[in-house]
Amino acid sequence: MLLVGVNMKTKKNRIKLVPPDGGWGWLIVLGSSLINFSTRAIEPSFGLLFGDLLKQLGVETTGASLVISTLGGIVNFSGLIVGPLIKKYTYRKVAIIGAIISTAAIMLTAPANSMIHILITFGVLGGIGFGLSTACTLVGINDYFSKKKGQAVGLSMTGTAVGFMLMPQIVGFLLDEYDFRSALLIIGALSLHATVGACLFQPVSWHKKAVVVEVEEEEAHTLLPPDKVEKKDSIASIETTNGVRRNVSSPNLEGRKNLLNIPPQAFSRKASLISNVSLLDDAGNTFHIQGIAEEESDNELEKITVNSYVEETHVKNNLKPKPTKTVKNSLKDRLSKFSKFMDLDLLRDGVYLNILYGLSMCIVAEMNFKLIVPFFLSNLGFKHSEIAFALSSMAVSDICARIVVPPIMDRITFSRRATFIFGSVCVALGRSCLALQTTMVPIITALVIIGFFRGISLTSFPLVLAEYSSGNNFPSVLGLSMVSRGVFIAIFGPLSGYIRDVTNSYPLFIHSQTVLMASVLIAWIVEIIILKSKNNKHAIIDALQKETEDKNTETKT
């Protein structure tokens, strides 16, 4: 008589591999800082470095906006290929390639004598290199850290802030000692250090640590005849290759015997049916399952593989397996596969779209501000050394925020979006205050305040995406956000430069960036109102349904 196990829930300790949340992860942070310092740090000093050349070419602010917008657009449009490249290769290989391209872009810009040359080398080629390398830093940190992710991101972005502080001094010194082209070649050589940082990006699977976790499982404790048990799908206890036991629901055994057309003697046994299942494949995230019936007879354990039995039966009866039908890949199927590969379903989520709008507008405003500050200070009569000191002062306060604030934010319950919008609004207000100043001390004070809150905002920037993502889809969430930023930069970047040249007013240009951040604040507040309204509506519906059910119950009683 076939006996069926009654399943009861029990708690057991299991070994689970988790990210190190430290360890080699801190070397990932160091590598990320080195990449950020060697690539993106030159952007705030673009006006200082290229200003004289752009004046000679007769393009000035509009030309600078066009180059920086092209650079920023390509950096973010590279998100279309970053996700797939990281899936196919590793983020270490992609980061190394990006670092090499970045160096080549800067050095190839040295002999430039036209806007087209600068656009192609520094704008397009540099954008590809910067985008590939910097995107990999975020993916690496997301893989290595969980609880300390905010602190790790803050420290990794400190490399950018240190670059913002040192690069103006380096550029000013090089321009005083050498000419523009020699200075650019030296800066290109410095950017090659990004390859060293990329080499530290070891796969997280090499450094995962084993922890003991408590899980709840079902186990068969009592054997009962089938007529004493409800007819439900049987639960087979599964033994993995490393001795960890799991439970897997399997269809009714009799149904399987009928489907496979296997004679009953193949299943006659004294022990219970079990399935040997390999451990979760860490590379492919797949299970390899093979059903095996075990029969114990006179101290001898026979293993009968169901699949082998079926194949043997086919051979004996000269039966040929039915050929599978081939389905032609239609355009719809290809588009569906592409959509799944790129995780385009994310674009159906209104919350994600609103996040993209806010982050993209923040990047546009930040990019335009970094570009215009050297021109703004130069227009007020500041020298190269004074401009470099002002930019470095802002970078110092930025570094302080990136070091001090993330550990605090990891210990409080505020969402990353709330932290981000708070920092962004404070930055916008500080910029408008800066636009009203004309003397050195108030300008330095305003820049220091802007730098501190910018550090808070930009540190929270990638964490907003990490907070939204489910973990496995973070590369896609990041990639699509980069594409969104690229679109916004391509539209609003050159437009802002054009507005400055038409109005011939730097303060008006700075105030326009504050308006952009105000639109983000309004959009996110509207989202909160809509979501709360929907939640209240659902709560009312649920309450009415419960009240109706209670009345029906009272009526029946």
Side-chain angles (χ1 to χ4, degrees), residues 387-434:
I387 295 174
F389 177 74
L391 295 177
S392 297
S393 300
M394 181 171 60
V396 169
S397 63
D398 189 329
I399 294 173
C400 294
R402 295 173 194 248
I403 295 175
V404 174
V405 175
I408 298 175
M409 299 309 301
D410 284 341
R411 288 169 173 78
I412 60 179
T413 58
F414 288 113
S415 70
R416 300 303 183 182
R417 287 186 70 182
T419 307
F420 169 79
I421 195 64
F422 169 74
S424 298
V425 170
C426 291
V427 167
L429 295 176
R431 289 170 182 164
S432 290
C433 292
L434 173 68

Short mmCIF file of all heavy atoms in Angstrom, two decimals, residues 387-434:
data_model
loop_
_atom_site.label_atom_id
_atom_site.label_comp_id
_atom_site.label_asym_id
_atom_site.label_seq_id
_atom_site.Cartn_x
_atom_site.Cartn_y
_atom_site.Cartn_z
N ILE A 387 39.44 81.83 -9.72
CA ILE A 387 38.38 80.91 -10.17
C ILE A 387 38.67 79.50 -9.68
O ILE A 387 37.77 78.79 -9.20
CB ILE A 387 38.26 80.95 -11.70
CG1 ILE A 387 37.79 82.33 -12.17
CG2 ILE A 387 37.29 79.87 -12.19
CD1 ILE A 387 37.79 82.50 -13.68
N ALA A 388 39.94 79.09 -9.79
CA ALA A 388 40.33 77.76 -9.32
C ALA A 388 40.09 77.61 -7.82
O ALA A 388 39.61 76.57 -7.35
CB ALA A 388 41.80 77.50 -9.65
N PHE A 389 40.40 78.66 -7.05
CA PHE A 389 40.17 78.62 -5.60
C PHE A 389 38.68 78.51 -5.28
O PHE A 389 38.28 77.76 -4.37
CB PHE A 389 40.76 79.87 -4.94
CG PHE A 389 40.50 79.96 -3.47
CD1 PHE A 389 41.21 79.15 -2.57
CD2 PHE A 389 39.54 80.83 -2.96
CE1 PHE A 389 40.96 79.23 -1.20
CE2 PHE A 389 39.29 80.91 -1.60
CZ PHE A 389 40.01 80.10 -0.72
N ALA A 390 37.84 79.24 -6.00
CA ALA A 390 36.39 79.20 -5.77
C ALA A 390 35.83 77.80 -6.06
O ALA A 390 35.04 77.26 -5.28
CB ALA A 390 35.70 80.24 -6.64
N LEU A 391 36.25 77.21 -7.18
CA LEU A 391 35.78 75.86 -7.53
C LEU A 391 36.27 74.83 -6.53
O LEU A 391 35.54 73.90 -6.16
CB LEU A 391 36.26 75.51 -8.94
CG LEU A 391 35.69 76.35 -10.08
CD1 LEU A 391 36.31 75.94 -11.41
CD2 LEU A 391 34.17 76.23 -10.15
N SER A 392 37.50 74.99 -6.06
CA SER A 392 38.05 74.05 -5.07
C SER A 392 37.32 74.16 -3.73
O SER A 392 37.11 73.16 -3.04
CB SER A 392 39.55 74.30 -4.89
OG SER A 392 40.25 74.07 -6.09
N SER A 393 36.94 75.37 -3.35
CA SER A 393 36.20 75.57 -2.09
C SER A 393 34.86 74.83 -2.13
O SER A 393 34.45 74.19 -1.15
CB SER A 393 35.97 77.05 -1.85
OG SER A 393 37.19 77.75 -1.77
N MET A 394 34.17 74.93 -3.26
CA MET A 394 32.91 74.21 -3.41
C MET A 394 33.13 72.71 -3.34
O MET A 394 32.34 71.97 -2.75
CB MET A 394 32.25 74.59 -4.74
CG MET A 394 30.90 73.93 -4.99
SD MET A 394 30.02 74.59 -6.44
CE MET A 394 31.20 74.23 -7.75
N ALA A 395 34.24 72.22 -3.94
CA ALA A 395 34.52 70.78 -3.94
C ALA A 395 34.86 70.27 -2.55
O ALA A 395 34.50 69.15 -2.19
CB ALA A 395 35.67 70.49 -4.90
N VAL A 396 35.54 71.08 -1.72
CA VAL A 396 35.89 70.66 -0.36
C VAL A 396 34.63 70.40 0.46
O VAL A 396 34.51 69.39 1.17
CB VAL A 396 36.78 71.72 0.32
CG1 VAL A 396 36.91 71.43 1.81
CG2 VAL A 396 38.15 71.76 -0.33
N SER A 397 33.67 71.33 0.39
CA SER A 397 32.42 71.13 1.14
C SER A 397 31.64 69.94 0.58
O SER A 397 30.96 69.22 1.32
CB SER A 397 31.56 72.39 1.09
OG SER A 397 31.18 72.70 -0.24
N ASP A 398 31.74 69.71 -0.73
CA ASP A 398 31.11 68.54 -1.35
C ASP A 398 31.69 67.27 -0.76
O ASP A 398 30.95 66.32 -0.42
CB ASP A 398 31.35 68.60 -2.86
CG ASP A 398 30.55 67.56 -3.62
OD1 ASP A 398 30.29 66.48 -3.07
OD2 ASP A 398 30.19 67.81 -4.78
N ILE A 399 33.02 67.20 -0.63
CA ILE A 399 33.68 66.02 -0.05
C ILE A 399 33.21 65.78 1.38
O ILE A 399 32.92 64.65 1.79
CB ILE A 399 35.21 66.19 -0.09
CG1 ILE A 399 35.70 66.21 -1.53
CG2 ILE A 399 35.91 65.08 0.68
CD1 ILE A 399 37.16 66.55 -1.66
N CYS A 400 33.13 66.85 2.16
CA CYS A 400 32.68 66.72 3.56
C CYS A 400 31.29 66.10 3.63
O CYS A 400 31.03 65.23 4.47
CB CYS A 400 32.69 68.09 4.23
SG CYS A 400 34.33 68.81 4.42
N ALA A 401 30.40 66.54 2.74
CA ALA A 401 29.03 66.00 2.74
C ALA A 401 29.04 64.52 2.36
O ALA A 401 28.32 63.72 2.98
CB ALA A 401 28.16 66.79 1.77
N ARG A 402 29.83 64.13 1.38
CA ARG A 402 29.86 62.74 0.93
C ARG A 402 30.43 61.80 1.98
O ARG A 402 30.10 60.61 2.00
CB ARG A 402 30.66 62.64 -0.37
CG ARG A 402 30.02 63.36 -1.55
CD ARG A 402 30.94 63.37 -2.75
NE ARG A 402 30.51 64.32 -3.76
CZ ARG A 402 30.04 63.97 -4.96
NH1 ARG A 402 29.94 62.72 -5.28
NH2 ARG A 402 29.68 64.90 -5.83
N ILE A 403 31.31 62.33 2.85
CA ILE A 403 31.90 61.50 3.90
C ILE A 403 31.02 61.45 5.14
O ILE A 403 30.83 60.39 5.74
CB ILE A 403 33.32 62.02 4.26
CG1 ILE A 403 34.25 61.86 3.06
CG2 ILE A 403 33.88 61.28 5.46
CD1 ILE A 403 35.63 62.45 3.27
N VAL A 404 30.47 62.59 5.53
CA VAL A 404 29.75 62.70 6.81
C VAL A 404 28.30 62.23 6.69
O VAL A 404 27.79 61.50 7.57
CB VAL A 404 29.79 64.16 7.32
CG1 VAL A 404 28.92 64.31 8.57
CG2 VAL A 404 31.23 64.56 7.61
N VAL A 405 27.61 62.60 5.62
CA VAL A 405 26.16 62.38 5.55
C VAL A 405 25.75 60.92 5.31
O VAL A 405 24.83 60.43 5.97
CB VAL A 405 25.54 63.30 4.47
CG1 VAL A 405 24.06 63.01 4.29
CG2 VAL A 405 25.74 64.76 4.86
N PRO A 406 26.38 60.16 4.38
CA PRO A 406 25.91 58.79 4.11
C PRO A 406 25.81 57.87 5.32
O PRO A 406 24.81 57.17 5.46
CB PRO A 406 26.93 58.27 3.09
CG PRO A 406 27.39 59.48 2.38
CD PRO A 406 27.43 60.55 3.42
N PRO A 407 26.81 57.84 6.25
CA PRO A 407 26.62 56.97 7.43
C PRO A 407 25.41 57.36 8.27
O PRO A 407 24.76 56.50 8.87
CB PRO A 407 27.93 57.17 8.21
CG PRO A 407 28.92 57.63 7.21
CD PRO A 407 28.14 58.45 6.24
N ILE A 408 25.11 58.66 8.31
CA ILE A 408 23.93 59.12 9.05
C ILE A 408 22.65 58.66 8.35
O ILE A 408 21.71 58.17 8.99
CB ILE A 408 23.95 60.65 9.19
CG1 ILE A 408 25.18 61.11 9.97
CG2 ILE A 408 22.66 61.15 9.85
CD1 ILE A 408 25.35 62.62 10.04
N MET A 409 22.63 58.80 7.00
CA MET A 409 21.44 58.42 6.25
C MET A 409 21.18 56.92 6.28
O MET A 409 20.04 56.48 6.18
CB MET A 409 21.58 58.88 4.80
CG MET A 409 21.72 60.39 4.62
SD MET A 409 20.44 61.34 5.48
CE MET A 409 18.96 60.69 4.72
N ASP A 410 22.24 56.11 6.45
CA ASP A 410 22.06 54.66 6.55
C ASP A 410 21.37 54.25 7.84
O ASP A 410 20.87 53.13 7.96
CB ASP A 410 23.42 53.94 6.46
CG ASP A 410 23.95 53.91 5.02
OD1 ASP A 410 23.13 54.09 4.09
OD2 ASP A 410 25.16 53.71 4.85
N ARG A 411 21.36 55.16 8.82
CA ARG A 411 20.81 54.82 10.14
C ARG A 411 19.44 55.45 10.41
O ARG A 411 18.88 55.24 11.47
CB ARG A 411 21.80 55.26 11.23
CG ARG A 411 23.05 54.39 11.27
CD ARG A 411 24.13 55.02 12.16
NE ARG A 411 25.25 54.12 12.35
CZ ARG A 411 26.21 53.93 11.45
NH1 ARG A 411 26.15 54.55 10.29
NH2 ARG A 411 27.20 53.09 11.70
N ILE A 412 18.94 56.23 9.48
CA ILE A 412 17.61 56.82 9.66
C ILE A 412 16.66 56.25 8.61
O ILE A 412 17.08 55.60 7.65
CB ILE A 412 17.66 58.36 9.58
CG1 ILE A 412 18.19 58.82 8.22
CG2 ILE A 412 18.54 58.93 10.69
CD1 ILE A 412 18.24 60.32 8.08
N THR A 413 15.38 56.52 8.80
CA THR A 413 14.35 55.85 8.00
C THR A 413 13.89 56.66 6.80
O THR A 413 12.97 56.24 6.11
CB THR A 413 13.13 55.53 8.88
OG1 THR A 413 12.64 56.76 9.47
CG2 THR A 413 13.51 54.57 10.00
N PHE A 414 14.48 57.81 6.54
CA PHE A 414 14.06 58.60 5.39
C PHE A 414 14.36 57.86 4.10
O PHE A 414 15.39 57.20 3.97
CB PHE A 414 14.77 59.96 5.37
CG PHE A 414 14.30 60.91 6.43
CD1 PHE A 414 15.14 61.29 7.46
CD2 PHE A 414 13.01 61.42 6.40
CE1 PHE A 414 14.70 62.16 8.44
CE2 PHE A 414 12.57 62.29 7.37
CZ PHE A 414 13.42 62.67 8.40
N SER A 415 13.45 57.97 3.13
CA SER A 415 13.69 57.36 1.84
C SER A 415 14.77 58.14 1.10
O SER A 415 15.02 59.30 1.38
CB SER A 415 12.40 57.33 1.00
OG SER A 415 12.04 58.65 0.61
N ARG A 416 15.41 57.46 0.14
CA ARG A 416 16.46 58.11 -0.63
C ARG A 416 15.90 59.23 -1.51
O ARG A 416 16.58 60.23 -1.77
CB ARG A 416 17.17 57.07 -1.50
CG ARG A 416 17.80 55.94 -0.72
CD ARG A 416 18.79 56.44 0.30
NE ARG A 416 19.44 55.36 1.01
CZ ARG A 416 20.33 55.52 1.98
NH1 ARG A 416 20.65 56.74 2.37
NH2 ARG A 416 20.89 54.47 2.57
N ARG A 417 14.68 59.08 -1.96
CA ARG A 417 14.06 60.13 -2.77
C ARG A 417 13.86 61.40 -1.96
O ARG A 417 14.06 62.52 -2.45
CB ARG A 417 12.73 59.66 -3.34
CG ARG A 417 12.85 58.64 -4.45
CD ARG A 417 11.49 58.33 -5.06
NE ARG A 417 10.97 59.44 -5.83
CZ ARG A 417 9.78 59.44 -6.43
NH1 ARG A 417 8.99 58.36 -6.34
NH2 ARG A 417 9.36 60.47 -7.12
N ALA A 418 13.46 61.23 -0.69
CA ALA A 418 13.25 62.40 0.17
C ALA A 418 14.58 63.12 0.41
O ALA A 418 14.65 64.36 0.37
CB ALA A 418 12.63 61.97 1.49
N THR A 419 15.64 62.35 0.65
CA THR A 419 16.97 62.94 0.86
C THR A 419 17.44 63.66 -0.40
O THR A 419 18.00 64.76 -0.35
CB THR A 419 17.98 61.85 1.24
OG1 THR A 419 17.47 61.11 2.35
CG2 THR A 419 19.32 62.46 1.62
N PHE A 420 17.20 63.03 -1.54
CA PHE A 420 17.64 63.60 -2.81
C PHE A 420 16.94 64.92 -3.10
O PHE A 420 17.58 65.92 -3.46
CB PHE A 420 17.36 62.60 -3.94
CG PHE A 420 17.52 63.18 -5.31
CD1 PHE A 420 18.78 63.34 -5.87
CD2 PHE A 420 16.41 63.57 -6.05
CE1 PHE A 420 18.93 63.90 -7.13
CE2 PHE A 420 16.55 64.12 -7.31
CZ PHE A 420 17.81 64.28 -7.85
N ILE A 421 15.62 64.96 -2.95
CA ILE A 421 14.89 66.17 -3.30
C ILE A 421 15.19 67.29 -2.30
O ILE A 421 15.23 68.48 -2.67
CB ILE A 421 13.36 65.90 -3.38
CG1 ILE A 421 12.66 67.06 -4.10
CG2 ILE A 421 12.77 65.67 -2.01
CD1 ILE A 421 13.05 67.22 -5.54
N PHE A 422 15.45 66.93 -1.05
CA PHE A 422 15.83 67.94 -0.05
C PHE A 422 17.15 68.60 -0.44
O PHE A 422 17.27 69.83 -0.47
CB PHE A 422 15.95 67.29 1.33
CG PHE A 422 16.58 68.18 2.37
CD1 PHE A 422 15.88 69.24 2.92
CD2 PHE A 422 17.90 67.97 2.79
CE1 PHE A 422 16.46 70.07 3.87
CE2 PHE A 422 18.48 68.79 3.73
CZ PHE A 422 17.77 69.84 4.27
N GLY A 423 18.15 67.77 -0.76
CA GLY A 423 19.44 68.32 -1.16
C GLY A 423 19.34 69.13 -2.44
O GLY A 423 19.97 70.20 -2.57
N SER A 424 18.54 68.67 -3.39
CA SER A 424 18.42 69.35 -4.68
C SER A 424 17.77 70.71 -4.54
O SER A 424 18.18 71.69 -5.19
CB SER A 424 17.63 68.48 -5.66
OG SER A 424 18.29 67.25 -5.89
N VAL A 425 16.74 70.79 -3.73
CA VAL A 425 16.05 72.08 -3.52
C VAL A 425 16.99 73.08 -2.85
O VAL A 425 17.03 74.26 -3.22
CB VAL A 425 14.77 71.87 -2.69
CG1 VAL A 425 14.18 73.22 -2.25
CG2 VAL A 425 13.73 71.10 -3.50
N CYS A 426 17.75 72.62 -1.85
CA CYS A 426 18.70 73.51 -1.18
C CYS A 426 19.78 74.00 -2.15
O CYS A 426 20.19 75.17 -2.11
CB CYS A 426 19.35 72.78 0.00
SG CYS A 426 18.22 72.44 1.37
N VAL A 427 20.24 73.11 -3.03
CA VAL A 427 21.22 73.50 -4.04
C VAL A 427 20.64 74.56 -4.97
O VAL A 427 21.30 75.56 -5.31
CB VAL A 427 21.68 72.26 -4.85
CG1 VAL A 427 22.45 72.69 -6.10
CG2 VAL A 427 22.55 71.36 -4.00
N ALA A 428 19.40 74.36 -5.40
CA ALA A 428 18.77 75.31 -6.32
C ALA A 428 18.64 76.70 -5.69
O ALA A 428 18.92 77.72 -6.33
CB ALA A 428 17.39 74.79 -6.74
N LEU A 429 18.24 76.74 -4.43
CA LEU A 429 18.12 78.02 -3.74
C LEU A 429 19.48 78.69 -3.57
O LEU A 429 19.62 79.91 -3.71
CB LEU A 429 17.45 77.82 -2.37
CG LEU A 429 16.00 77.34 -2.40
CD1 LEU A 429 15.49 77.07 -0.99
CD2 LEU A 429 15.11 78.36 -3.09
N GLY A 430 20.50 77.87 -3.29
CA GLY A 430 21.85 78.42 -3.15
C GLY A 430 22.36 79.00 -4.45
O GLY A 430 23.04 80.04 -4.45
N ARG A 431 22.04 78.36 -5.57
CA ARG A 431 22.48 78.89 -6.86
C ARG A 431 21.84 80.25 -7.16
O ARG A 431 22.50 81.16 -7.68
CB ARG A 431 22.12 77.90 -7.97
CG ARG A 431 22.96 76.63 -7.96
CD ARG A 431 22.39 75.60 -8.91
NE ARG A 431 23.16 74.36 -8.87
CZ ARG A 431 22.72 73.20 -9.36
NH1 ARG A 431 21.52 73.14 -9.93
NH2 ARG A 431 23.47 72.13 -9.29
N SER A 432 20.56 80.36 -6.84
CA SER A 432 19.90 81.65 -7.07
C SER A 432 20.50 82.74 -6.21
O SER A 432 20.62 83.90 -6.63
CB SER A 432 18.40 81.52 -6.80
OG SER A 432 17.77 80.74 -7.80
N CYS A 433 20.90 82.39 -4.96
CA CYS A 433 21.57 83.37 -4.10
C CYS A 433 22.94 83.75 -4.67
O CYS A 433 23.34 84.92 -4.62
CB CYS A 433 21.73 82.81 -2.69
SG CYS A 433 20.17 82.60 -1.79
N LEU A 434 23.65 82.76 -5.23
CA LEU A 434 24.95 83.03 -5.84
C LEU A 434 24.83 84.01 -7.00
O LEU A 434 25.69 84.88 -7.18
CB LEU A 434 25.57 81.72 -6.32
CG LEU A 434 26.87 81.83 -7.14
CD1 LEU A 434 28.01 82.32 -6.25
CD2 LEU A 434 27.22 80.51 -7.79
#
